[in-house]
């Protein structure tokens, strides 16, 4: 296992910035090839191989897989919920074509295993809002959600029909300090820290009492590594697993930040992203992931807030 050669697509994004480091620690720097659209190597990805790659370009993608003798791909390319609502067809094309490129490479035996992320965006207004189950109504109201539901079904199809070893989780909103979030609805829970430290206040585009499922990045990275390292028989679901971390609304995260920054204030100017969030769960139920491959989150709201403030303080306080 540890002799794998790994390619990360979209490595400069929010998840990739942390996942690349975690995979390099595990497999060694040279065994993990980071790729993204940027021409020069992004700072977070220094220390190992980097290639400029447009994952929409199947030939270029295959060339990299061949050149580095890649065995596993972590596909992190996506246009997220808020951005994809602005350019629906472009979002659909990007999210689906890049997935198909990887599924096809796996079907043809060019790679042995792949990770592709799904999202809480698969759920919609008809799904139960609290403790949303693994198996329930999936009728998403965003282009991003539609691409994730379709993607999940295609992953399962490739697994059933062709034996492709593809694994996936439905990430909640992810909070991290390394890579910047890239156009999602849950991004407010990252912006709030930067604004709290810089200006002592934040205007939230999500309404005060709108709770969403969230997760601190170290838990998300661990979930990703755990599902990718689980024995194949344990990964019974080849759509994508619900994984829960924490659930909070803007008022509650503001309250938690005030434990450390008592003068912090928040006000509200909900926009179209608040409507996207209105159709997502407040929390998800993750017993399938717990049972099948032993998933367990570590961070709760206060622990996450404490760590975020410590990690980011250096960037703002002289
Ligand atoms: N965090 C993502 C978004 O807000 C959901 O997967 O788009």
């Amino acid at each position: 296992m540890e002799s794998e050669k790994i390619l990360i697509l979209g490595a400069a994004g929010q998840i990739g910035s942390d996942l690349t480091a975690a995979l390099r620690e595990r497999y060694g720097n040279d065994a993990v090839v980071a790729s993204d659209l940027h021409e020069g190597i992004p700072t977070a990805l220094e220390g190992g191989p980097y290639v400029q790659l447009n994952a929409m370009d199947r030939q270029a993608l295959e060339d990299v897989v061949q050149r580095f003798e890649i065995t596993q791909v972590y596909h992190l390319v996506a246009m997220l919920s808020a951005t994809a609502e602005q350019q629906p067809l472009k979002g659909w094309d990007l999210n689906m074509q890049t997935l198909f490129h990887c599924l096809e490479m796996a079907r043809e035996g060019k790679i042995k295993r792949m990770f592709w992320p799904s999202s809480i965006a698969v759920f919609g207004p008809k799904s139960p809002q609290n403790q949303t189950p693994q198996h329930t109504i999936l009728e998403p109201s965003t282009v991003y959600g539609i691409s994730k539901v379709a993607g999940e079904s295609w992953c399962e199809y490739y697994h059933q029909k062709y034996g492709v070893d593809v694994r996936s989780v439905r990430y909640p909103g992810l909070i991290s300090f390394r890579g910047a979030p890239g156009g999602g609805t849950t991004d407010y829970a990252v912006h709030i820290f930067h604004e709290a430290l810089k200006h002592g206040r934040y205007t939230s585009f999500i309404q005060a009492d709108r709770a969403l499922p969230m997760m601190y990045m170290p838990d998300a990275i661990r979930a990703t590594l755990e599902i990718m390292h689980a024995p194949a028989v344990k990964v019974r679901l080849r759509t994508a697993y619900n994984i829960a971390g924490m659930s909070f609304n803007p008022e509650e995260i503001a309250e938690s930040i005030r434990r450390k920054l008592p003068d912090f204030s928040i006000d509200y100017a909900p926009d179209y992203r608040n409507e996207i969030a209105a159709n997502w769960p407040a929390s998800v139920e993750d017993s399938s992931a717990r049972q099948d491959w032993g998933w367990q989150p570590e961070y709760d709201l206060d622990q996450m807030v404490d760590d975020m403030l410590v990690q980011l303080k250096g960037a703002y306080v002289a």
Side-chain angles (χ1 to χ4, degrees), residues 77-92:
V77 173
M79 197 182 288
L80 295 188
S81 60
T83 315
E85 287 309 287
Q86 311 301 320
Q87 26 189 349
L89 295 186
K90 224 176 150 191
W92 172 260

Side-chain angles (χ1 to χ4, degrees), residues 80-81 119 144 171 173 184-186 280:
L80 295 188
S81 60
S119 160
Y144 179 66
Y171 287 127
T185 301
T186 56
W280 286 356

Side-chain angles (χ1 to χ4, degrees), residues 227-253:
I227 193 172
M228 282 298 276
H229 289 89
V233 290
K234 297 217 172 213
V235 187
R236 290 185 309 120
L237 300 178
R238 297 299 180 140
T239 48
Y241 282 89
N242 280 9
I243 51 168
M246 57 190 90
S247 163
F248 59 79
N249 64 35
E251 207 163 42
E252 288 162 340
I253 188 175

Side-chain angles (χ1 to χ4, degrees), residues 15-294:
I15 300 171
S17 307
D18 280 290
L19 187 63
T20 303
L23 285 167
R24 283 185 174 154
E25 204 164 293
R26 183 159 194 147
Y27 291 94
N29 287 353
D30 292 341
V32 180
V33 180
S35 77
D36 211 297
L37 285 172
H38 303 266
E39 201 178 324
I41 179 163
T43 326
L45 306 177
E46 282 169 357
Y50 173 79
V51 287
Q52 180 189 15
L53 177 64
N54 178 357
M56 292 283 272
D57 183 341
R58 167 104 191 246
Q59 194 52 53
L61 175 56
E62 286 207 20
D63 288 348
V64 171
V65 166
Q66 206 178 7
R67 185 168 122 221
F68 290 93
E69 298 176 342
I70 297 298
T71 58
Q72 296 189 359
V73 172
Y74 286 72
H75 172 303
L76 304 177
V77 173
M79 197 182 288
L80 295 188
S81 60
T83 315
E85 287 309 287
Q86 311 301 320
Q87 26 189 349
L89 295 186
K90 224 176 150 191
W92 172 260
D93 276 352
L94 176 70
N95 295 356
M96 299 311 292
Q97 271 193 43
T98 53
L99 171 60
F100 277 118
H101 289 347
C102 293
L103 288 172
E104 278 291 288
M105 286 195 302
R107 183 179 69 80
E108 291 167 3
K110 292 172 176 150
I111 54 172
K112 288 192 307 192
R113 185 174 297 178
M114 60 178 275
F115 177 81
W116 172 80
S118 188
S119 160
I120 52 162
V122 294
F123 301 113
K126 296 199 185 73
S127 317
Q129 246 205 331
N130 293 301
Q131 291 295 309
T132 309
Q134 174 71 44
H135 300 286
T136 184
I137 296 173
L138 303 180
E139 292 182 15
S141 55
T142 60
V143 172
Y144 179 66
I146 297 170
S147 75
K148 291 301 183 188
V149 171
E152 284 191 9
S153 296
W154 277 111
C155 287
E156 186 176 36
Y157 183 88
Y158 269 74
H159 178 73
Q160 300 294 349
K161 284 261 167 177
Y162 310 122
V164 163
D165 190 358
V166 53
R167 303 167 182 216
S168 181
V169 295
R170 293 170 178 159
Y171 287 127
L174 298 179
I175 299 148
S176 66
F177 54 88
R178 236 176 241 110
T185 301
T186 56
D187 294 8
Y188 93 87
V190 178
H191 298 160
I192 195 170
F193 288 99
H194 294 270
E195 295 304 306
L197 288 165
K198 268 192 288 188
H199 302 121
R201 62 190 153 72
Y202 178 64
T203 302
S204 171
F205 56 77
I206 301 292
Q207 73 185 54
D209 60 352
R210 173 94 66 226
L212 289 164
M214 296 279 186
M215 183 175 283
Y216 196 31
M217 191 60 88
D219 274 345
I221 297 299
R222 198 166 43 76
T224 309
L225 296 180
E226 282 175 8
I227 193 172
M228 282 298 276
H229 289 89
V233 290
K234 297 217 172 213
V235 187
R236 290 185 309 120
L237 300 178
R238 297 299 180 140
T239 48
Y241 282 89
N242 280 9
I243 51 168
M246 57 190 90
S247 163
F248 59 79
N249 64 35
E251 207 163 42
E252 288 162 340
I253 188 175
E255 197 53 49
S256 181
I257 290 173
R258 268 196 289 271
R259 288 176 306 118
K260 301 285 162 158
L261 305 173
D263 295 333
F264 174 65
S265 68
I266 185 165
D267 59 7
Y268 300 92
D271 65 16
Y272 72 101
R273 290 167 285 189
N274 190 48
E275 302 312 311
I276 295 177
N279 292 321
W280 286 356
S283 59
V284 297
E285 189 279 326
D286 63 357
S287 56
S288 293
R290 287 172 188 260
Q291 277 157 22
D292 288 1
W293 43 275

